[in-house]
Amino acid sequence: MAQTAKRLKALYSAVVYDIMDEMGLPHQCLDLAIAPLDRSMQVAGPAYTVMAGPDMRERDEMPPNTKLADFGVFTQMYDGCVVVVGAAGERQSGIWGELMSNASRARGATGVVIDGGIRDGRLVREIDGLGVFARYTSPIESLRRSRIHDIEIPISMTGTTTSQVRVNPGDWIFGDEDGVLVIPKDALDEVLAKSEEAKDIEDKVREEVQAGVPVIDVYNKYGRL
C-alpha cells in the first residue's frame, strides 16, 4: 500500500485524469471546491468512508449505533487509509477538526478529504504526514448541526463533471492542488501503469519543448502535448 501511494504521489492528478478519461472513467473527479488546506499537500491511499450530514439532534436523542460506539470511527481506521467524509450538503459547520485529524493520523491515516467543512485549519496544517482537503474552513461547532451516521459503506461525494461520485470503501483516492480523483479499486493497477507511461512521455515532451524543438514536431513524435 505504501509503495502504491508513493507511485501515485510521483504523478499529478491531470495525467491520472487523462488516463481514466481514456479508459471510459471521466466522472471520477470530485468537486473542484474540495481543495488542499495547503497547495503543497497531496493525498493517496484507499478510502476509509464516513457518511455524515445535517442533524440537529442532541447526543442523548441519538439511537445506539454499535459501529460508532466508543469512538468506532477511529478504531477501525488502518495504516495508509484516506478518510473520505461525505457531508450530504452541510455547508456551515466544521464536521472535522484538529483533534479528530490528530486521532486519525495516530491510527495510521495519511489523508482526510471532506465534502464539507473543517475547523482549526492552522493546527491541521501542522500535522505531519497528513494531507487534508476540504470544501471550506469554519469556526462553527458541528454539535446540533451535523453528525457522523455511518462508516465504511459506499458514500456520495459531490462531483465536477457529474453531480455525484460514488466512493466505495477501498477505492483509491489521489489528490493534489488541481483536484481529487476517485480511482475504482478494480481499475487501480491499470490506471497507475498507464499514468506512469503517460508521465514518461510528457517528461520527454517537456524536455524537447524546453530545448526549442518545434511544438508540431514534438506532437507528431509523441502524440501528446
Side-chain angles (χ1 to χ4, degrees):
M1 186 184 301
Q3 182 62 26
T4 299
K6 183 177 180 180
R7 289 171 65 189
L8 273 172
K9 287 183 176 182
L11 300 168
Y12 35 92
S13 61
V15 73
V16 177
Y17 178 83
D18 287 349
I19 291 302
M20 288 201 292
D21 198 17
E22 293 169 6
M23 290 173 57
L25 295 168
H27 304 304
Q28 301 302 116
C29 182
L30 300 187
D31 191 330
L32 298 178
I34 302 172
L37 293 188
D38 184 286
R39 290 177 67 86
S40 66
M41 286 180 172
Q42 290 181 293
V43 65
Y48 176 88
T49 59
V50 178
M51 177 184 285
D55 196 325
M56 298 181 71
R57 289 175 291 181
E58 299 281 357
R59 287 193 177 98
D60 59 9
E61 295 181 83
M62 296 296 296
N65 186 326
T66 55
K67 288 176 73 175
L68 300 178
D70 300 322
F71 297 99
V73 67
F74 300 110
T75 57
Q76 296 186 53
M77 292 179 187
Y78 51 90
D79 285 345
C81 72
V82 174
V83 181
V84 183
V85 184
E90 209 282 335
R91 296 292 183 265
Q92 297 177 353
S93 65
I95 198 166
W96 212 264
E98 176 259 332
L99 295 178
M100 296 179 76
S101 297
N102 266 305
S104 302
R105 185 71 190 100
R107 290 293 304 174
T110 59
V112 179
V113 176
I114 307 173
D115 190 358
I118 192 166
R119 304 174 78 198
D120 314 311
R122 177 179 61 81
L123 295 172
V124 171
R125 288 197 302 272
E126 294 174 355
I127 301 174
D128 186 51
L130 191 72
V132 179
F133 291 63
R135 180 177 290 278
Y136 60 88
T137 57
S138 171
I140 299 172
E141 162 67 46
S142 62
L143 181 63
R144 296 183 300 277
R145 298 179 179 92
S146 59
R147 185 178 302 276
I148 293 171
H149 293 292
D150 210 341
I151 54 175
E152 286 291 79
I153 61 169
I155 62 171
S156 170
M157 300 284 278
T158 309
T160 296
T161 60
T162 188
S163 61
Q164 299 181 85
V165 178
R166 175 172 171 145
V167 183
N168 298 303
D171 285 345
W172 270 68
I173 306 298
F174 176 52
D176 58 19
E177 63 182 300
D178 285 347
V180 181
L181 305 176
V182 180
I183 307 171
K185 53 189 171 185
D186 293 342
L188 175 65
D189 291 342
E190 183 178 0
V191 168
L192 186 52
K194 289 183 175 180
S195 297
E196 290 173 331
E197 291 175 6
K199 179 183 180 296
D200 288 343
I201 292 173
E202 292 192 0
D203 288 345
K204 294 173 183 176
V205 169
R206 184 181 306 107
E207 181 179 342
E208 294 194 18
V209 168
Q210 290 175 345
V213 179
V215 171
I216 185 63
D217 293 343
V218 176
Y219 181 77
N220 286 338
K221 181 177 180 180
Y222 295 106
R224 298 188 75 94
L225 191 66

